[in-house]
Amino acid sequence: MAQTITEKIFSQHIGREVLAGEIIRCDIDMVIGNDITTPISISAFNLSGATKLANPDGFSIVLDHFIPAKDIASANQAKISRLFAKEHKLKNFFDEKDMGIEHALLPEKGLIVPGDVIIGADSHTCTHGALGAFSTGMGSTDLAFAMITGGNWFKVPESIKVNLSGKPAQHTTGKDIILEIIRLIGVDGALYKTLEFTGSTIEHLTMDDRFSMCNMAIEAGAKSGIVAYDDVTKEFLSDKNLAREPRIHYSDDDAVYCLTLDINVAELEPVIAYPFLPSNGHSITQAVSDKIKIDQAFIGSCTNGRLSDLKTAAAILDGKKVHEDVRLIVTPGTQKILKEAYKLGYMDIIIDAGGVVSNPTCGACLGGYMGILGDSEVAVSTTNRNFVGRMGSRSSEVYLANSAVAAISAITGYISDPR
């Protein structure tokens, strides 16, 4: 029978044809934990009586949320993961010595491979679908089960075909495309489904655009997001020492989808998600007319902390100054991105403009540290969520945008149009 790319990935893994709706037990290629979620998994692992990992090379721990430790509690959390990694001689353990936000770092390391089945105890694990893999978030005890057995149970998701046409205009990015999709279908419009991004627009999207789109699939309620392997994927992977051989799949022309969504990207302008939902999308034209004054601009996170985001910000900030009433915080996704941005001069431009650069961390995005909002403060942010209290005080407000919007807004003091 005709199959989607997601159905084919699962079929290849379990050795027989499967279709959406089936409940299956499947081996997992990469299990991912971080400094917040892994200690719970380790506790469950130890309580089970397990003494060794089923697939140690397929287990990665990335300390990225509160590293370097922000307080005693976070230091002790990290200590649990460090001791476990040392005890089990984990080769895929990343802390301050080689740090990065997990969903930027692991693809950079070649640990995410097309055709993989991946789980992580972090909802934005769906980011890795940009490389043609099935990747989804699970709970910490689900992670422990995979650590012990090497697999887990899945209900094969139905797929929504997102047919994107047209070439994006200047300063319209993958971030704007996914915000538009979420605006159209809502935060539960893709509940337990795969968002499969297809169409003529894909060839115009960089890998960074694709990572942003798959990253925020969860914001539509999706189980995963996915983009099929192509020349852009091939180029991204060309300098990587891949952990496994790629297994490349494509959806059949007559594959069954539960919904097809058609979007003309050529007509799309930058999208701003107003508080307090990622689905509360408005055009940049509307946002400018609403005269939204900001206190903070943030560029970073697993959604938009990549080199292209820093390049965009530097181009806009070059020779300019951050508004006197605004704090600009920039968080690169990995140390490699940070080093490359310094080499290319992006960081000098950002710092000279009045921005501050932090180490790679999830801290500001989740309201943990390195960029907390105070009472009634307003931020324009390249992160993925703008729920009540997401980045700090419950009376603060977060507007989601792309990196160009965040950069120009930092200069003007109001949410502004980079075009």
Side-chain angles (χ1 to χ4, degrees):
M1 294 181 67
Q3 291 180 299
T4 65
I5 184 173
T6 298
E7 291 167 332
K8 287 185 177 184
I9 290 171
F10 279 119
S11 296
Q12 192 275 328
H13 273 72
I14 71 170
R16 67 171 179 84
E17 185 179 87
V18 300
L19 297 173
E22 288 189 54
I23 296 175
I24 61 169
R25 171 74 180 273
C26 181
D27 288 343
I28 294 168
D29 299 289
M30 182 55 68
V31 177
I32 307 167
N34 60 51
D35 49 316
I36 292 179
T37 58
T38 309
I40 304 169
S41 304
I42 291 170
S43 177
F45 178 92
N46 291 333
L47 285 170
S48 76
T51 57
K52 65 178 183 178
L53 294 162
N55 180 16
D57 289 349
F59 181 42
S60 295
I61 300 177
V62 185
L63 308 187
D64 58 1
H65 280 62
F66 295 132
I67 300 298
K70 75 179 184 73
D71 53 25
I72 295 169
S74 59
N76 286 332
Q77 285 279 93
K79 182 179 178 181
I80 293 169
S81 293
R82 288 193 180 99
L83 292 174
F84 185 86
K86 187 172 183 179
E87 177 186 354
H88 293 270
K89 298 179 173 60
L90 279 189
K91 70 176 186 179
N92 299 323
F93 176 72
F94 305 98
D95 61 3
E96 288 93 339
K97 297 177 186 64
D98 191 4
M99 72 188 313
I101 299 171
E102 58 196 291
H103 310 309
L105 184 68
L106 297 184
E108 182 179 282
K109 296 291 185 182
L111 293 170
I112 306 300
V113 180
D116 277 357
V117 171
I118 302 158
I119 69 167
D122 184 280
S123 60
H124 291 106
T125 303
C126 50
T127 306
H128 307 302
L131 291 173
F134 176 84
S135 191
T136 193
M138 285 189 172
S140 293
T141 50
D142 297 303
L143 206 74
F145 184 79
M147 291 161 63
I148 296 163
T149 68
N152 218 312
W153 293 92
F154 298 86
K155 180 181 178 182
V156 180
E158 294 180 298
S159 292
I160 294 174
K161 185 175 186 177
V162 182
N163 183 36
L164 305 169
S165 61
K167 183 178 180 180
Q170 184 185 24
H171 295 313
T172 296
T173 69
K175 179 65 166 291
D176 304 293
I177 294 170
I178 189 62
L179 284 175
E180 176 67 3
I181 291 167
I182 299 165
R183 185 189 71 81
L184 291 170
I185 67 175
V187 292
D188 59 354
L191 198 62
Y192 211 100
K193 295 175 174 62
T194 291
L195 285 177
E196 183 180 327
F197 302 106
T198 68
S200 61
T201 301
I202 299 298
E203 66 183 76
H204 301 295
L205 298 179
T206 67
M207 188 55 62
D208 290 354
D209 287 317
R210 300 172 188 200
F211 282 130
S212 289
M213 289 160 57
C214 289
N215 175 274
M216 291 190 66
I218 184 62
E219 265 60 70
K223 191 70 175 170
S224 63
I226 197 164
V227 181
Y229 179 98
D230 63 4
D231 287 343
V232 174
T233 326
K234 181 180 179 181
E235 175 64 24
F236 176 82
L237 296 173
S238 63
D239 63 346
K240 312 277 187 301
N241 182 20
L242 296 181
R244 291 162 296 284
E245 283 296 316
R247 291 156 290 183
I248 298 167
H249 302 282
Y250 299 97
S251 293
D252 295 321
D253 291 339
D254 54 347
V256 176
Y257 295 90
C258 61
L259 176 68
T260 297
L261 189 64
D262 294 305
I263 298 175
N264 184 352
V265 175
E267 298 177 352
L268 185 66
E269 60 179 317
V271 178
I272 311 298
Y274 284 34
F276 289 99
L277 285 174
S279 58
N280 192 13
H282 299 264
S283 69
I284 186 64
T285 301
Q286 177 66 51
V288 169
S289 69
D290 287 341
K291 295 181 171 59
I292 303 163
K293 190 175 188 302
I294 65 168
D295 301 287
Q296 179 169 300
F298 178 79
I299 299 171
S301 85
C302 59
T303 315
N304 286 112
R306 294 179 169 81
L307 190 64
S308 61
D309 297 293
L310 306 183
K311 179 181 180 180
T312 294
I316 290 171
L317 290 162
D318 195 8
K320 307 290 196 306
K321 289 292 183 182
V322 172
H323 192 279
E324 62 180 1
D325 296 331
V326 176
R327 308 180 299 273
L328 171 61
I329 299 170
V330 178
T331 299
T334 68
Q335 294 281 55
K336 182 178 180 180
I337 292 170
L338 177 60
K339 288 173 64 178
E340 188 66 15
Y342 270 117
K343 178 181 176 183
L344 293 169
Y346 303 158
M347 291 314 192
D348 286 339
I349 291 170
I350 290 167
I351 292 169
D352 289 345
V356 62
V357 178
S358 83
N359 60 280
T361 174
C362 306
C365 175
L366 57 84
Y369 77 144
M370 302 294 278
I372 300 294
L373 295 177
D375 292 343
S376 302
E377 287 194 316
V378 176
V380 60
S381 176
T382 67
T383 53
N384 40 47
R385 288 179 180 156
N386 58 349
F387 306 147
V388 173
R390 172 65 178 180
M391 292 184 71
S393 169
R394 290 183 63 81
S395 63
S396 64
E397 294 183 341
V398 177
Y399 291 78
L400 303 179
N402 69 35
S403 297
V405 171
I408 190 66
S409 302
I411 296 168
T412 65
Y414 291 81
I415 293 181
S416 301
D417 191 338
R419 299 171 301 175

